[in-house]
Amino acid sequence: MPAPMENDSGSAPTNADALDALARSCRVALLRYARSIVRDNHTAHDIVQDTFLTYLKKPPEPRAAKAWLFRVCRSRAIDFLRRKHPISFGKSGEDLEDFFERQPDRRPSPAENADTDETFDILAREIEKLTPRRQEIIRLKFQAGLSYKEIAETTGLTATNVGFILHDTLAALRTRLTANKLSS
């Protein structure tokens, strides 16, 4: 068995060291995920902080840490909604802002902007029509960048089920998007 890596002080890594590395790698994705559920930046920060504090108290197996963090974050966010608001995954499209924030490096023309805006609007409306579970799987895959296995661990589904739901949802969205664009 290989010896544990040392930290800056020359000693074996601690839970805090592991948390620091994990926080650097997925903090932003956790914030986006929490914000997409609770729709409040301040609350999302609190939820993510609580998630990391939970990690320090009871760290998971290192190989499952990322999915564990998302599962705890999800649980904390849903708990918040249950306490403060009726469970709702929204109809406003605000939770889709992060989903679409990846923009190309080049500046598009005004016509390209209009077409892209129209496409995103159509896609946002179609995503809003999905069941909450399908919306969540889309968020976890494309906002948080989780693998099927990590999504499965987060949601309690099997990886095969996640793959099926994601494939089926994307195919349906592609068909609806094409139909909407053709009818425009």
Side-chain angles (χ1 to χ4, degrees), residues 7-172:
N7 61 19
D8 291 340
S9 65
S11 61
T14 65
N15 287 343
D17 294 330
L19 177 63
D20 186 50
L22 198 55
R24 281 193 308 270
S25 71
C26 62
R27 181 180 165 275
V28 172
L30 280 168
L31 281 169
R32 286 181 184 150
Y33 181 56
R35 190 173 54 234
S36 74
I37 295 171
V38 299
R39 292 187 186 37
D40 178 71
N41 200 38
H42 179 72
T43 303
H45 279 276
D46 289 347
I47 288 168
V48 171
Q49 181 179 5
D50 185 51
T51 299
F52 286 124
L53 289 172
T54 303
Y55 176 96
L56 281 174
K57 292 175 189 171
K58 185 181 172 193
E61 291 292 322
R63 63 180 170 69
K66 187 175 180 183
W68 183 91
L69 282 172
F70 276 91
R71 187 170 51 251
V72 170
C73 182
R74 175 182 188 252
S75 177
R76 297 293 188 270
I78 290 171
D79 288 346
F80 170 81
L81 290 176
R82 284 181 181 147
R83 283 189 314 270
K84 300 292 182 184
H85 307 288
I87 293 180
S88 169
F89 285 91
K91 297 291 181 187
S92 68
E94 290 175 333
D95 58 335
L96 300 175
E97 285 177 10
D98 291 330
F99 184 78
F100 297 117
E101 79 181 7
R102 296 183 196 111
Q103 295 296 318
D105 290 336
R106 64 176 183 82
R107 292 213 176 247
S109 70
E112 289 173 323
N113 273 341
D115 186 45
T116 299
D117 289 346
E118 179 185 351
T119 300
F120 284 158
D121 288 344
I122 293 168
L123 186 57
R125 284 192 307 268
E126 292 302 325
I127 289 173
E128 288 174 358
K129 294 176 186 176
L130 297 173
T131 64
R133 173 165 280 174
R134 287 179 184 256
Q135 288 181 28
E136 180 176 29
I137 290 171
I138 291 286
R139 272 194 235 101
L140 288 169
K141 180 65 180 161
F142 296 104
Q143 265 185 326
L146 297 185
S147 69
Y148 288 9
K149 181 180 177 191
E150 291 168 327
I151 294 170
E153 291 172 1
T154 300
T155 61
L157 299 170
T158 66
T160 302
N161 199 306
V162 168
F164 174 78
I165 291 170
L166 193 57
H167 174 76
D168 185 58
T169 302
L170 292 176

